[in-house]
Amino acid sequence: MKKIAVIYHSGYGHTAHFAKHVAEGASQTKLVSVDLITSDEASKKIDSLTAYDGFIWGSPTYMGNVSGPFKTFMDATSAAWMKGSWKNKWGAGFTVSGSPSGDKQSTLISMAILAAQQGMFWMPLGINNESYSGVKPEDAANRLGSSLGAMATASNEAAETAFVAGDLKTAKLFGARFAEVVASH
Ligand SMILES: Cc1cc2nc3c(=O)[nH]c(=O)nc-3n(C[C@H](O)[C@H](O)[C@H](O)COP(=O)(O)O)c2cc1C
């Protein structure tokens, strides 16, 4: 069975909550094994991450881009870049921000560039905005209309109540799609 890792940073628990839903969606397919790893932990074991077939990266959007700790992880992956050891692996990304836009597209672009630098294949979200087919916006998958990766907006409440249903649905569908893509290539 192929292996994937969901590698994320979360300062206040919101991105961690979204990451759990992504991992759940991937696990429920029973097509791959899934590990949830913080970016701090991942930064310390870049070499051992070569055992994975794909990575889903997650970061909150801080000041219009990935968070500082997630960037530390990105920089640590230069050890894999030197060896070309992540070439042809699969990658995908998600981000959580406070504002509906919040400039979070930049966060996904940074992750996609990291995948390109590593010679990896990038999986776009590939989920239609369900509000176009009549689903109430707050319940709709990909209600924010993202393409490059998964996006969510979280309120300032605790993570358990900070998300609308549509964003958590997106997380699960996104994780499942990544598992299917990795398992079939
Ligand atoms: C230092 C910092 C910078 C932030 N910058 C942005 C931003 O640029 N755009 C935005 O919409 N939200 C911004 N936020 C809000 C966070 O993206 C939001 O609270 C998110 O849910 C935090 O995720 P976390 O709990 O996983 O850290 C920022 C929060 C912090 C702490």
Side-chain angles (χ1 to χ4, degrees):
M1 188 182 260
K2 292 193 174 169
K3 286 163 57 114
I4 69 166
V6 178
I7 297 174
Y8 69 94
H9 168 251
S10 183
Y12 305 91
H14 299 93
T15 312
H17 190 67
F18 194 87
K20 274 185 215 148
H21 284 74
V22 171
E24 237 175 79
S27 294
Q28 281 167 356
T29 65
K30 301 193 190 320
L31 293 171
V32 295
S33 74
V34 186
D35 290 327
L36 257 179
I37 307 174
T38 65
S39 56
D40 286 355
E41 204 188 315
S43 301
K44 293 182 207 133
K45 53 175 191 182
I46 297 298
D47 280 347
S48 67
L49 297 176
T50 303
Y52 291 95
D53 301 288
F55 305 115
I56 302 179
W57 294 320
S59 171
T61 292
Y62 286 174
M63 302 315 294
N65 215 307
V66 295
S67 64
F70 192 84
K71 182 64 168 77
T72 298
F73 161 72
M74 290 172 74
D75 292 356
T77 73
S78 60
W81 175 82
M82 300 271 277
K83 297 177 190 156
S85 51
W86 289 7
K87 199 171 173 191
N88 298 337
K89 293 186 188 300
W90 282 91
F94 62 87
T95 185
V96 176
S97 72
S99 296
S101 160
D103 302 308
K104 59 181 173 283
Q105 175 91 342
S106 316
T107 304
L108 295 179
I109 291 170
S110 295
M111 291 175 181
I113 289 174
L114 177 65
Q117 287 202 332
Q118 296 287 1
M120 293 166 57
F121 300 115
W122 185 254
M123 189 200 81
L125 183 61
I127 299 167
N128 286 345
N129 180 342
E130 282 185 332
S131 62
Y132 292 154
S133 22
V135 179
K136 268 198 301 181
E138 60 270 29
D139 293 335
N142 195 20
R143 71 186 175 102
L144 295 170
S146 178
S147 302
L148 201 54
M151 288 181 172
T153 302
S155 72
N156 282 336
E157 291 173 34
E160 289 68 29
T161 52
F163 292 90
V164 298
D167 286 356
L168 297 180
K169 181 180 185 184
T170 306
K172 284 195 169 184
L173 290 171
F174 171 62
R177 174 165 142 81
F178 190 77
E180 282 157 16
V181 167
V182 170
S184 62
H185 287 87

